[in-house]
Amino acid sequence: MGNVAILNAASVRRWAFEPLVELGSQNSFQRSAEFCRSAPDVSEVVVLCPPKADTAGSAAADAWVDRAKIVEASEQEGLRVVDLDAPTTGALFAALERLAVGHDHVIYAHADTPLLDAALLRTMYANHQRYHVDYSFADGYPLGLAAEVLRAESITAMARLAADPTSAATPLQRDSVFEVIKRDINAFDLETEISPLDQRLLRVVLAMDSARNAAQLRVALAHGARDAATAAAVLQEHPQVMRSLPAYVSVQVVDGCPQACSYCPYGVSLTSTGKTDEMAVERFAAIATQIAEFCGDAMLAVSLWGEPSLHSQFDELAAAVSELPGLQLLVETAGVGWDRGVLDRVAGLPRPPQWILSLDSSEASLYRQLRGEGYDEAVATATHLLEIAPQRTYVQAVRMKENEEQLETFYRAWKEKTPNVIIQKYDRFADTLPDRQVADLSPLERHPCWHLKRDLAVLLDGSVPMCREDLRRDHLLGNLETDGIAAVWERGQEIHQRHLDQDYPEICRRCDEYYTYNN
């Protein structure tokens, strides 16, 4: 009966159709199609398209490619096009189940991955057949190098799992197939192709799906990446490839807090609480626009050294981010000082924010010791946000010696209300604060700082320190308003290179935040 190769193009973006000089000016879609045609025993290649009703307006909003472009490219490659019913996990498995009929196996890949390795697939497929397994995948490789193999007769059982309400509406992701199988992993026989070099911790995605990953992939190609082996070698020998574009930008929009937190370097020095200054909406909008234009997509957090609830026009700040394609607003807050009307208006935006409520304790007395007054108000705000934005609201506790014994109680109490509970690592800010960590979680071997690789911190006046830990601004990278984000980001490369050379500035030697990861 042969195999069917299914190429997921349901969420491809414009970068997938940009020519890659190093690959003979083929684009990622063409390369992915070529890979599928050469897959073992393939009798048909099918391209999954976005739902017809879902493409109107979305191409401009998120750089998604219009369905007509995907159809045209598929026809040029001689491939059959099938529309997904929705951009969800449930719809994906419904399509896989239909397309698997009359075939032995499904070979599943993504249409924006130009370095899919045909030799790696042949090895996986041979083992898949030899051991008669239901699902084969590669592990330890950067995403974008390996396809997945599914036994056709097993997909019906997988589709039933995907049709469960907890999975059906989940937005499509690159790991959607494995995430569904993982829900009942013992029901299936799996075969794993292990990478000779485990590079999972690099969090690299070798796909043309964003400005960040596209820039990274082009640099990797320039260094000789062509398949799994050469890509692994490039990432190992040229780690500077992985510093591409910012993914997480924290912006100070308020100077001041309603509380003097005991574990905040600014909070412990406060003699009085309240707001002393705020960023004008116009300045914030201009900074946000720079971020969107430079990064393509990014998480924009507005909780750097100030409580966002104190901003007099917070709903306008949120609206400014909502209007910019690709940006996701993150609000980390004490939950104190909010107007319910503002929360409700912001939750109703076309692109509403994600919320993190910093609570730290489920006991009012301990909360007061750690954060000050406002426990009842903070809990009420968290409860309200969980009602109006349940999927986008998280509650958080910073783990430290003072609340360690009570932390399990906190976790269990909030876990009954939401799955979104965060236990955050304590930050001593390069020895500015006492060491109150319960345990040392740092790696045995130090690696370059994730924050230098992926983050920017922007202060009230637009200036950019090396990172959030640079409290005294000893390592300023510039100012977004006067220098522009591209120049500021480039200046951070020198410090990142020092980390690659294991030559750490004094502040970095005293810091253990290098292994924490924001986005």
Side-chain angles (χ1 to χ4, degrees):
M1 292 187 290
N3 302 328
V4 57
I6 298 178
L7 199 55
N8 189 342
S11 58
V12 294
R13 302 190 178 188
R14 61 177 177 83
W15 300 279
F17 291 91
E18 292 180 354
L20 299 167
V21 176
E22 293 84 0
L23 300 179
S25 293
Q26 283 185 304
N27 61 44
S28 298
F29 185 91
Q30 292 169 324
R31 290 276 298 190
S32 302
E34 186 177 278
F35 168 86
C36 285
R37 285 194 298 267
S38 69
D41 301 329
V42 163
S43 58
E44 181 182 25
V45 179
V46 177
V47 176
L48 296 180
C49 260
K52 292 180 180 178
D54 199 54
T55 58
S58 63
D62 283 315
W64 290 355
V65 175
D66 185 82
R67 179 183 176 279
K69 173 69 174 178
I70 300 172
V71 172
E72 178 186 4
S74 301
E75 290 175 347
Q76 290 173 353
E77 296 293 325
L79 312 180
R80 181 159 73 97
V81 172
V82 170
D83 291 331
L84 280 179
D85 295 332
T88 63
T89 298
L92 169 65
F93 270 90
L96 294 179
E97 185 177 20
R98 292 194 301 270
L99 294 169
V101 174
H103 296 93
D104 296 316
H105 307 280
V106 169
I107 295 168
Y108 177 71
H110 293 267
D112 52 8
T113 46
L115 295 184
L116 288 164
D117 192 314
L120 176 59
L121 175 61
R122 286 195 294 271
T123 299
M124 291 172 58
Y125 183 67
N127 290 332
H128 183 87
Q129 289 187 300
R130 181 180 297 116
Y131 301 116
H132 304 284
V133 297
D134 302 305
Y135 173 64
S136 294
F137 67 105
D139 195 21
Y141 294 91
L143 292 178
L145 297 174
E148 298 164 272
V149 185
L150 300 90
R151 184 172 298 278
E153 63 186 25
S154 304
I155 294 179
T156 296
M158 299 174 189
R160 283 198 294 268
L161 287 175
D164 183 275
T166 58
S167 293
T170 304
L172 270 181
Q173 304 290 340
R174 292 192 180 273
D175 59 353
S176 289
V177 170
F178 182 71
E179 285 299 309
V180 167
I181 292 172
K182 195 167 69 174
R183 295 194 62 217
D184 192 9
I185 200 165
N186 293 324
F188 304 99
D189 292 323
L190 275 59
E191 178 65 21
T192 308
E193 184 66 27
I194 304 294
S195 171
L197 185 63
D198 189 351
Q199 295 185 319
R200 287 173 296 178
L201 291 180
L202 300 182
R203 295 182 171 96
V204 170
V205 179
L206 294 172
M208 298 290 282
D209 61 348
S210 68
R212 182 180 311 100
N213 288 338
Q216 177 177 257
L217 184 47
R218 288 182 185 278
V219 177
L221 289 172
H223 281 287
R226 296 294 183 272
D227 52 25
T230 54
V234 165
L235 296 176
Q236 188 77 2
E237 297 166 12
H238 303 280
Q240 67 272 21
V241 166
M242 291 177 283
R243 189 179 190 268
S244 177
L245 295 172
Y248 184 90
V249 184
S250 52
V251 180
Q252 181 186 25
V253 296
V254 170
D255 186 0
C257 291
Q259 298 174 323
C261 292
S262 63
Y263 57 86
C264 169
Y266 286 100
V268 296
S269 62
L270 284 178
T271 56
S272 63
T273 57
K275 180 176 69 175
T276 60
D277 199 2
E278 70 178 26
M279 181 179 287
V281 173
E282 295 75 15
R283 170 180 280 180
F284 175 80
I287 289 174
T289 299
Q290 276 202 63
I291 296 166
E293 292 177 349
F294 182 65
C295 304
D297 66 339
M299 182 75 76
L300 197 164
V302 289
S303 307
L304 181 66
W305 310 136
E307 169 53 59
S309 69
L310 298 183
H311 199 285
S312 62
Q313 297 174 287
F314 180 81
D315 45 357
E316 294 187 32
L317 301 183
V321 177
S322 180
E323 293 170 1
L324 292 168
L327 291 192
Q328 172 63 61
L329 182 64
L330 173 65
V331 186
E332 188 170 348
T333 173
V336 178
W338 287 101
D339 179 279
R340 287 289 176 89
V342 171
L343 296 179
D344 293 341
R345 288 194 296 274
V346 169
L349 288 170
R351 303 165 72 92
Q354 293 185 13
W355 300 86
I356 297 178
L357 277 295
S358 298
L359 301 178
D360 297 323
S361 176
S362 56
E363 295 179 358
S365 58
L366 180 55
Y367 178 94
R368 188 179 301 109
Q369 176 187 336
L370 297 175
R371 307 190 59 90
E373 301 298 329
Y375 175 77
D376 290 338
E377 182 182 355
V379 170
T381 301
T383 302
H384 183 67
L385 284 170
L386 286 171
E387 291 173 354
I388 63 174
Q391 304 303 318
R392 309 181 73 83
T393 300
Y394 298 76
V395 294
Q396 174 177 278
V398 174
R399 184 188 182 193
M400 47 195 150
K401 294 175 181 177
E402 288 83 348
N403 66 354
E404 172 68 6
E405 291 185 2
Q406 189 266 335
L407 211 54
E408 183 175 355
T409 301
F410 174 91
Y411 183 84
R412 290 181 180 276
W414 284 102
K415 202 70 174 177
E416 292 179 359
K417 302 173 184 177
T418 175
N420 302 333
V421 181
I422 300 171
I423 304 300
Q424 177 70 281
K425 170 190 169 295
Y426 174 78
D427 182 2
R428 65 179 187 268
F429 291 92
D431 293 334
T432 299
L433 298 179
D435 186 359
R436 299 154 77 180
Q437 287 190 131
V438 177
D440 182 1
L441 303 176
S442 56
L444 294 176
E445 294 185 11
R446 181 155 187 163
H447 57 71
C449 179
W450 277 110
H451 304 290
L452 293 179
K453 190 184 300 184
R454 297 177 62 86
D455 297 2
L456 275 180
V458 184
L459 301 177
L460 207 61
D461 62 355
S463 61
V464 180
M466 177 179 70
C467 65
R468 190 181 78 147
E469 312 295 302
D470 187 11
L471 300 172
R472 299 189 305 175
R473 310 188 193 191
D474 292 331
H475 303 274
L476 278 179
L477 304 180
N479 188 291
L480 289 196
E481 291 186 311
T482 58
D483 302 317
I485 190 171
V488 168
W489 180 247
E490 179 61 29
R491 287 171 191 154
Q493 178 59 42
E494 179 183 350
I495 302 175
H496 182 250
Q497 184 61 49
R498 289 185 62 180
H499 275 233
L500 293 174
D501 297 336
Q502 298 184 346
D503 173 24
Y504 304 106
E506 178 60 26
I507 186 175
C508 299
R509 282 198 294 270
R510 291 185 281 111
C511 177
D512 74 340
E513 286 292 302
Y514 66 90
Y515 63 90
T516 64
Y517 188 89
N518 281 323
N519 178 44

